DNA sequence: CGAAAACTTGATTCCGTTCAACACATGTGG
DNA sequence: CCACATGTGTTGAACGGAATCAAGTTTTCG
């Protein structure tokens, strides 16, 4: 459970390349997967110094089954997680680089807002361009070019490399083929039922 | 719940391209996601004529919470589902076309065996090459070339376009950078704890 | 059998990679 | 405080894997 900072889950494939599987921020339970499924199929890593709370596996299971409401919430958490994975499959598999980056910028925009870590149209990018590359299945060089393109098109502004300002949110979302449905947010809150 | 035949989950992205998100076969519960999360973020489709059993959402929830063992099994099912999604993200994001196809061939090999629908080194491919393309984020033409390459290299044999025979399983798995861990099978059975 | 669907193959194009410098900030030890 | 290392971001040139376009061929199935 992340209290502050950012975490990622990733895998290293044969050629030594890395794929970032998901990005996690304050208030999210990163590792229910590895808790219930005994063998871990990926690695978890903090991006920066931050605080996490550890909860024993046995406590989790106990809680889940003694308190149905909590159990359901945890289950739904894993389902939302899977939903985001599916959108990433589609994003990486079928969108070109510029669209892909725009899509991720939109996802982060909304999720950071929900976590209380930024404004919907102005936030601090938690990832380096190299990490963005590993998240989108691109190279750092091409990530840079895609960001520069979005900037040149006026879809985003950047006063420093990591600050993202979205002038017209709707326009970026359209360009990035972004529909927030897959995040399963309700009234700007994480889904609970 | 699929009794016979094959189903896929897919999404259509902006440009009209399709991404297949997962492939499902006999004995699998396809749609727990859409059951618990009210709004559906993707489509489900049968690939061929087949039988399915429908179970009411209310029954699912009731069962899950009144019978902890069943509830846990369903939860684990969704976790394995997510684990496969993650491997697909890595497969599509960071492996080249030939490796990617080889990897999928290995996954299908094992899963079809578990479902009792084929031998580990000889099975009938349930997808057309166009569907393989939509599953791997490639074009049909390039899928064909990749398969032909694997055949030319002696990693697979095909007496008809859809029959896959794997001469040396270990060799194909190595080429496809395949490690079955993410499927969370135990003794060739689906994981239950 | 005949038509549609699926598969195969060739030629060409292009998006994203690779290789290579360089710019710029931050920090660190002498 | 400067010299220098290090990580991150930026830009250019050339290359290459996969896409696209276009024609066949084979398989499937009503």
């Amino acid at each position: 459970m992340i209290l502050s900072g950012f975490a990622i889950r990733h895998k290293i494939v044969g050629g030594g390349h890395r794929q970032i599987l998901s990005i996690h921020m304050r208030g999210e339970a990163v590792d229910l997967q590895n808790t219930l499924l005994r063998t871990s199929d990926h690695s978890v890593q903090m991006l920066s110094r931050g605080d996490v709370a550890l909860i024993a596996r046995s406590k989790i299971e106990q809680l889940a089954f003694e308190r149905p409401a909590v159990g359901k919430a945890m289950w739904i958490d894993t389902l939302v997680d899977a939903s985001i994975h599916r959108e990433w499959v589609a994003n990486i598999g079928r969108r070109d680089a510029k669209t892909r980056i725009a899509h991720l910028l939109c996802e982060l925009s909304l999720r950071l807002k929900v976590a209380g870590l930024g404004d919907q149209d102005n936030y601090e990018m938690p990832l380096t361009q190299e990490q963005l590359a590993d998240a989108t299945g691109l190279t750092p060089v091409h990530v840079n070019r895609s960001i520069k393109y979005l900037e040149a098109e006026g879809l985003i502004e950047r006063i420093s490399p990591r600050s993202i300002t979205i002038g017209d949110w709707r326009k970026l979302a359209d360009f990035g083929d972004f529909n927030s449905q897959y995040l399963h947010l309700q009234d700007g809150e994480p889904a609970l039922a």
Side-chain angles (χ1 to χ4, degrees), chain A:
Chain A
M1 183 66 118
I2 301 176
L3 303 177
S4 69
F6 294 89
I8 57 168
R9 293 193 277 171
H10 72 269
K11 269 183 191 198
I12 309 288
V13 304
H17 290 106
R18 179 172 77 152
Q19 176 66 46
I20 292 179
L21 306 166
S22 61
I23 302 165
H24 296 280
M25 52 195 73
R26 190 167 81 183
E28 297 183 352
V30 178
D31 225 17
L32 281 178
Q33 351 290 319
N34 290 340
T35 302
L36 275 276
L37 297 172
R38 299 305 157 97
T39 65
S40 165
D41 54 77
H42 61 272
S43 313
V44 177
Q45 186 186 322
M46 289 297 286
L47 282 188
S48 51
R49 216 167 293 285
D51 301 311
V52 298
L54 295 174
I55 308 173
R57 170 185 322 196
S58 58
K59 288 285 180 203
I60 297 271
E61 289 198 25
Q62 189 185 335
L63 203 55
F65 292 104
E66 288 181 0
R67 305 264 302 269
V70 178
K72 188 172 179 183
M74 288 199 282
W75 192 357
I76 284 174
D77 193 80
T78 63
L79 288 173
V80 171
D81 216 62
S83 177
I84 295 176
H85 288 336
R86 284 191 292 277
E87 186 67 27
W88 279 42
V89 168
N91 199 33
I92 295 171
R94 286 297 188 214
R95 295 196 184 103
D96 67 22
K98 293 161 188 161
T99 313
R100 213 182 290 181
I101 294 291
H103 189 280
L104 183 55
L105 291 182
C106 287
E107 175 177 323
L108 288 174
S109 156
L110 286 192
R111 291 180 57 200
L112 286 168
K113 186 183 72 171
V114 169
L117 295 170
D119 197 353
Q120 174 159 344
D121 38 60
N122 186 340
Y123 64 88
E124 192 74 7
M125 166 60 60
L127 305 182
T128 66
Q129 291 182 3
E130 186 175 9
Q131 290 160 349
L132 282 173
D134 285 339
T136 51
L138 298 167
T139 54
V141 173
H142 205 57
V143 165
N144 183 277
R145 289 184 169 125
S146 301
I147 291 177
K148 283 279 170 182
Y149 173 88
L150 295 177
E151 199 177 8
E153 288 294 301
L155 290 164
I156 59 171
E157 285 140 61
R158 302 184 309 154
I159 49 175
S160 77
R162 300 287 199 95
S163 92
I164 303 293
T165 303
I166 303 170
D168 183 338
W169 209 88
R170 196 63 247 151
K171 225 154 88 183
L172 182 64
D174 282 348
F175 181 88
D177 190 23
F178 182 84
N179 181 318
S180 68
Q181 199 179 175
Y182 74 96
L183 292 173
H184 295 278
L185 301 174
Q186 283 164 11
D187 313 321
E189 289 297 309
L192 277 177

